[in-house]
Amino acid sequence: MSIRAVVWDVDDTLFDYTGADRAGMRLHLAAEGLLEAYESVEQAIVSWREITDVQWARFSAGEVDFQGQRRDRVRVFLGEALSDAEADAWFQRYVAHYETVWALFPDVLPVLDALATSHRHAVLSNSSIHVQDRKLRALGVYDRFEAVLCAAELGVSKPEPGAFHAACEVLELAPEQVAYVGDHPEIDGRGAAEAGLRSFWIDRDGVYATGGAPVGPHRIATLAELPALLGADTRFGAPSTFG
């Protein structure tokens, strides 16, 4: 059965979240006068990312709500028992810096253009509608997607099959008619494959290029590979790097 729609992850797939997070945190730490508390800026950024990963896993497991994981990230990072209001205010100051460095990956607009007439498009993210709607609008790609679905509102998150099936239901397509593109090998790659979608895992850094990748998703190194793999009538597609 041919693929009729592509459902996209956002962070580190379309949007350079890691780059923006690092650059934004660097600006925020300087503004907050916190740089001296760490041996280096990089050490502080690594600590922030590690804490973010732990708290995000708690949110994905349903142990805390979306706002709660944000507050806990701040409390753990600062090592202070902040009130909700104080944690929210600190996080919003960080967000203000983070948003100044938002950017799409260079391969995003060309592939969206290449697939614009051949496939329908939607978003499925483990974030919240409030966050991703605003982000997609600011990046100028919101109107490219028929629907934007997020875990905070769905009540189920990737890699649970229900999250992927919710996107298929909105598009009124069977899972085998839908491709999913995401950056995480398990949450996105294996999750989509096990839910019955055609799974494309973008491994931009080539972390698993020599083996050890999960079974199921098709690895790609750049979104430029997608049109050829999806059979789009375009010259934009490139041969798969990984095969």
Side-chain angles (χ1 to χ4, degrees):
M1 189 175 293
S2 63
I3 299 300
R4 297 178 58 190
V6 182
V7 178
W8 302 83
D9 174 51
V10 177
D11 296 339
D12 282 331
T13 297
L14 300 173
F15 163 63
D16 185 4
Y17 168 75
T18 296
D21 186 46
R22 288 179 177 275
M25 181 53 68
R26 186 183 298 269
L27 294 170
H28 181 56
L29 291 172
E32 295 285 311
L34 294 174
L35 291 179
E36 65 276 9
Y38 295 88
E39 292 182 7
S40 66
V41 173
E42 186 60 28
Q43 182 193 57
I45 292 172
V46 168
S47 177
W48 174 251
R49 288 307 305 271
E50 290 175 346
I51 291 166
T52 296
D53 289 345
V54 170
Q55 298 304 325
W56 194 261
R58 293 179 62 229
F59 165 67
S60 296
E63 297 174 12
V64 64
D65 64 17
F66 185 79
Q67 193 65 23
Q69 62 83 24
R70 281 186 163 188
R71 291 165 178 162
D72 288 344
R73 284 160 66 184
V74 176
R75 289 168 179 143
V76 174
F77 182 74
L78 297 178
E80 300 178 18
L82 302 179
S83 68
D84 287 353
E86 289 170 331
D88 289 345
W90 194 95
F91 197 91
Q92 286 307 312
R93 294 195 298 275
Y94 153 69
V95 168
H97 289 108
Y98 162 62
E99 289 183 354
T100 66
V101 289
W102 278 1
L104 296 168
F105 285 106
D107 55 2
V108 171
L109 290 179
V111 80
L112 288 177
D113 286 343
L115 297 174
T117 59
S118 59
H119 294 77
R120 298 164 62 194
H121 299 271
V123 160
L124 173 63
S125 166
N126 267 3
S127 185
S128 74
I129 290 290
H130 171 74
V131 171
Q132 300 298 38
D133 270 20
R134 187 164 179 271
K135 185 184 296 174
L136 293 169
R137 291 180 190 277
L139 294 168
V141 293
Y142 180 84
D143 292 338
R144 302 275 190 149
F145 308 103
E146 291 184 30
V148 177
L149 289 80
C150 293
E153 291 73 28
L154 285 175
V156 61
S157 59
K158 302 174 296 182
E160 292 299 317
F164 297 100
H165 292 164
C168 296
E169 290 169 8
V170 166
L171 293 168
E172 298 184 336
L173 294 173
E176 57 267 28
Q177 294 177 294
V178 179
Y180 189 80
V181 185
D183 70 289
H184 195 286
E186 297 295 331
I187 294 174
D188 295 314
R190 188 191 295 275
E194 292 186 348
L197 287 74
R198 179 85 62 84
S199 178
F200 293 98
W201 163 47
I202 184 162
D203 183 17
R204 292 184 185 278
D205 297 325
V207 175
Y208 294 94
T210 58
V215 175
H218 184 111
R219 288 180 292 161
I220 57 176
T222 168
L223 297 182
E225 297 179 45
L226 276 175
L229 293 170
L230 293 174
D233 183 14
T234 173
R235 290 175 294 173
F236 180 76
S240 173
T241 303
F242 298 112

